[in-house]
Amino acid sequence: MTAQTSVGFIGLGAMGAPMATNLVRAGFDVTVHNRTAAKARPLADAGAAVADTPAGVAAGGVVITMLADDAAVRAVTLGEDGIVGRLGEGGLHVMMSTVAAETSHELARRHAEHGEQVLVAPVFGRPDMAEAAKLNICVSGDDDAKARARPFLDAMGVGVWDFGEEFGAANIVKLAGNFMIAAASEAMGEAYTLCEGHGIDRNSVHELLSSTLFASPVHQGYGARIAARTYQPAGFPMPLGLKDLTLAGEAAAQARVPMPLADLCRQRLIAGIAHGREDWDWAGLAQGVSDDAGRG
Ligand code: NAP
């Protein structure tokens, strides 16, 4: 079988733009589309072809989408000028957004009606990791779809983690991981503010803990923001974080798994947005701790 060299890419936001750029750099023949057309210009400069509609990128048979949320994925896939039914028999949709498992099931069903496949492939890593092609990608779906997508995934990430053939599994793993980031942010906010309340420098505490007991990328990266209370510019803004914790809460209810900590973090994000912090990074949920302690 000849390796697929052409690929469509839809969704050139904070994550999608660097991911598509890496596909171009890796030598693939990339056609891109973005709802706001101006965002496609840098990709065109880098060597990608540009299509006016989602359907316009489908002709090559393999399309990657990196869109904001469930509604965006549905619109681009199932809406007018959507890609479903336009990839052709044996076509493949690699869906990389953080969305509900139900959305993945629906996409799989609708694409299958046309002899097309879906690979669910959400990612861990922020825009700087996307830029460096260091994403960790969780996949679920058919094994042959995983094999076909692999060259593209390898051009965008450092790790591909297989969660089986059940389409929604990778979505659940991604939501679980993001819940852990939010919970760690809340914990760091409380711990650093506790120390601050006793006259101890937040940054010194962060330095100790993030280089010893908690030497993880999450504690180091998010923790630095929380210690310094620097939440702008956002890598991942509060409204997207709220979307993920809402999805995690819904998934938890379906499985009858209580997640009280997820509820708390979700309320922090709602409060942050109510305070006008939409364009803050979601680590800013920890600012709620400072607010409550009268140390805003
Ligand atoms: P973003 O910067 O907000 O980009 C969102 C993209 O979706 C844009 O291309 C936007 O088009 C498009 N879009 C939104 N609604 C649409 C609609 N109704 N129809 C067509 N296109 C629509 O988001 P991002 O940070 O790249 O995140 C993309 C996905 O990756 C999300 O599911 C997010 O949860 C996930 N993720 C993000 C990060 C991160 O750190 N940022 C990390 C891991 C995973 P316009 O340009 O026209 O608005």
Side-chain angles (χ1 to χ4, degrees):
M1 193 172 68
T2 325
Q4 170 104 18
T5 55
S6 66
V7 62
F9 198 105
I10 306 176
L12 303 172
M15 295 293 288
M19 291 163 70
T21 303
N22 284 331
L23 290 169
V24 174
R25 283 192 190 130
F28 293 109
D29 183 5
V30 184
T31 302
V32 299
H33 167 76
N34 196 64
R35 178 180 62 175
T36 306
K39 289 194 198 166
R41 229 167 274 142
L43 262 296
D45 293 344
V50 179
D52 293 339
T53 62
V57 308
V62 177
V63 170
I64 297 171
T65 56
M66 190 50 163
L67 298 151
D69 54 18
D70 297 76
V73 172
R74 281 172 200 274
V76 162
T77 309
L78 309 173
E80 199 187 337
D81 282 331
I83 60 173
V84 79
R86 292 194 165 97
L87 298 169
E89 183 76 27
L92 174 63
H93 177 184
V94 182
M95 198 290 301
M96 303 190 76
S97 306
T98 306
V99 294
E102 290 73 31
T103 298
S104 298
H105 286 288
E106 186 181 356
L107 296 193
R109 201 170 51 245
R110 295 291 300 276
H111 277 296
E113 288 168 4
H114 301 273
E116 300 167 349
Q117 287 181 305
V118 167
L119 182 67
V120 180
V123 308
F124 285 108
R126 289 161 67 94
D128 57 332
M129 302 295 270
E131 171 88 43
K134 287 191 172 160
L135 297 173
N136 275 292
I137 305 170
C138 302
V139 292
S140 51
D142 296 340
D143 285 340
D144 60 326
K146 287 169 195 159
R148 288 175 64 202
R150 190 66 196 235
F152 304 116
L153 301 183
D154 285 342
M156 298 184 284
V158 279
V160 177
W161 304 82
D162 188 348
F163 288 93
E165 298 216 335
E166 202 283 307
F167 288 105
N171 299 124
I172 301 295
V173 175
K174 171 63 191 166
L175 295 174
N178 270 16
F179 156 68
M180 289 180 70
I181 295 171
S185 297
E186 171 69 19
M188 288 186 282
E190 293 187 21
Y192 298 171
T193 308
L194 165 68
C195 293
E196 185 183 23
H198 286 268
I200 303 157
D201 175 45
R202 298 168 68 92
N203 290 293
S204 305
V205 180
H206 164 69
E207 209 178 307
L208 160 71
L209 293 174
S210 67
S211 57
T212 54
L213 280 73
F214 296 96
S216 82
V218 167
H219 290 91
Q220 288 163 355
Y222 286 88
R225 280 181 179 268
I226 291 165
R229 300 200 296 198
T230 303
Y231 300 116
Q232 290 173 296
F236 187 62
M238 283 202 172
L240 283 181
L242 177 59
K243 178 233 346 161
D244 289 0
L245 287 186
T246 301
L247 291 174
E250 289 167 1
Q254 284 159 7
R256 292 173 172 45
V257 176
M259 292 180 70
L261 198 44
D263 285 345
L264 171 73
C265 296
R266 182 168 173 273
Q267 293 301 328
R268 289 279 193 218
L269 288 166
I270 292 171
I273 291 166
H275 277 85
R277 298 170 183 162
E278 285 92 342
D279 58 348
W280 282 26
D281 194 88
W282 74 317
L285 69 85
Q287 181 62 29
V289 179
S290 297
D291 294 345
D292 287 353
R295 295 178 171 274

